[in-house]
Amino acid sequence: MPVDVPAVVLANTRLSPDYNVLSLGAPEVARAAAPGQFVMVKTAPGLDPLLRRPFSIFEILRDDHGEIRGLSLLNKRVGVGTSLLYDAQPGDPISCLGPLGRPFVPVDPPAHAWMVAGGVGLAPFVTLAEALKARGTSMTLFYGGRSAADLYHAEFFERLGARLMVTTEDGSRGTQGRVTGPLARALATLSADTAVTLYACGPTPMMRAVADLGQAHGRTTFVSLEPVMGCGMGGCYSCVVRVQRPGGTHLVRSCIEGPVFDASCLVWDALVGGH
């Protein structure tokens, strides 16, 4: 069950003029979290901003003895709420509600896990990669951004033993192009008897492209959606998406039935059109 805790800022690591990692003292939330789940945070006391903001749980923080002490969020400032989180100071109060949503399900060997991240879409994959490492599952991270300035934390995945495939649209790091380019080439070289599950998070058009590639190559694909959320618990219906099920299409709340979905069930035309 999710809990709402009065977390405090433990540290604020500014990665660039736009990105930061915010560490929160919320052990009750962190202990219950599974890969791909999210939290709703109140970015400031009072009524401005009124609504909480959803964030994928980035890291589970532990002390020197391995005890869980909190969690972190990967933040990119693009508006009022995210700017407040960028400017937060140690000791500041940040109400944190979670963990919320349906998580990723890590695959076991001999299956392979291929993670596809665009920009801050990297956030849910740290906990997934740790779960995969614990299972001994071979993993690859396809990581893309507009430029090198949009890519962080890639070395963490290498330390876990993941194969790393980096792309940037301007060619400032890794291969120039979009992250789906290396993915398409890698899928084309796979033998039919090699089990690979795809996991994707990032801009909606990117996730649709990953879903299309997965379908074309017969690979199960899971995506973590990032719709606008007002409450995170299904009460406001702001995060409704359309899914295909036996008997027709249905509207579901992504904070309850997601954010992780089997990509084959999503009605992508409606989803991309809504973004």
Side-chain angles (χ1 to χ4, degrees):
M1 292 291 293
V3 293
D4 193 1
V5 300
V8 296
V9 175
L10 300 176
N12 185 358
T13 304
R14 294 185 177 90
L15 305 175
S16 75
D18 294 312
Y19 291 87
N20 70 306
V21 174
L22 196 68
S23 300
L24 300 178
E28 306 95 328
V29 178
R31 280 194 290 266
Q37 288 190 298
F38 69 98
V39 294
M40 298 290 294
V41 297
K42 189 78 170 67
T43 57
L47 301 179
D48 186 22
L50 177 62
L51 299 178
R52 299 188 186 219
R53 298 290 188 270
F55 284 88
S56 294
I57 295 170
F58 186 44
E59 302 160 301
I60 301 299
L61 306 176
R62 294 176 170 83
D63 62 21
D64 294 339
H65 303 288
E67 294 295 321
I68 291 177
R69 60 194 295 259
L71 55 89
S72 71
L73 311 175
L74 177 61
N75 177 56
K76 179 181 181 181
R77 61 172 175 178
V78 294
V80 174
T82 51
S83 293
L84 288 168
L85 293 181
Y86 184 87
D87 293 331
Q89 299 296 317
D92 284 353
I94 301 283
S95 295
C96 180
L97 172 64
L100 298 166
R102 292 183 182 271
F104 287 119
V105 177
V107 294
D108 294 311
H112 300 257
W114 288 8
M115 298 169 284
V116 189
V120 291
L122 182 74
F125 291 135
V126 168
T127 51
L128 176 60
E130 289 178 330
L132 292 167
K133 172 69 173 180
R135 286 164 168 76
T137 302
S138 172
M139 54 183 157
T140 299
L141 174 66
F142 297 84
Y143 188 19
R146 293 181 179 177
S147 71
D150 295 305
L151 304 180
Y152 298 98
H153 219 60
E155 294 75 15
F156 167 85
F157 292 86
E158 288 184 308
R159 289 197 297 271
L160 288 183
R163 181 177 59 141
L164 191 61
M165 306 287 286
V166 174
T167 59
T168 50
E169 293 181 18
D170 66 0
S172 54
R173 183 174 178 183
T175 303
Q176 185 171 10
R178 295 185 175 179
V179 69
T180 48
L183 175 64
R185 292 190 288 273
L187 285 169
T189 64
L190 280 179
S191 62
D193 58 352
T194 301
V196 170
T197 296
L198 304 180
Y199 302 88
C201 186
T204 304
M206 182 213 83
M207 289 191 288
R208 181 179 188 172
V210 173
D212 289 344
L213 286 168
Q215 183 177 33
H217 291 274
R219 308 295 174 174
T220 301
T221 304
F222 295 99
V223 297
S224 178
L225 299 185
E226 298 179 318
V228 174
M229 291 184 186
C231 71
M233 299 188 71
C236 67
Y237 285 77
S238 64
C239 62
V240 168
V241 296
R242 191 176 296 275
V243 299
Q244 184 72 45
R245 289 181 174 166
T249 62
H250 300 267
L251 295 174
V252 302
R253 293 162 291 178
S254 58
C255 64
I256 301 295
E257 302 210 23
V260 175
F261 288 90
D262 184 326
S264 65
C265 80
L266 292 168
V267 180
W268 285 101
D269 286 341
L271 188 61
V272 175
H275 287 69

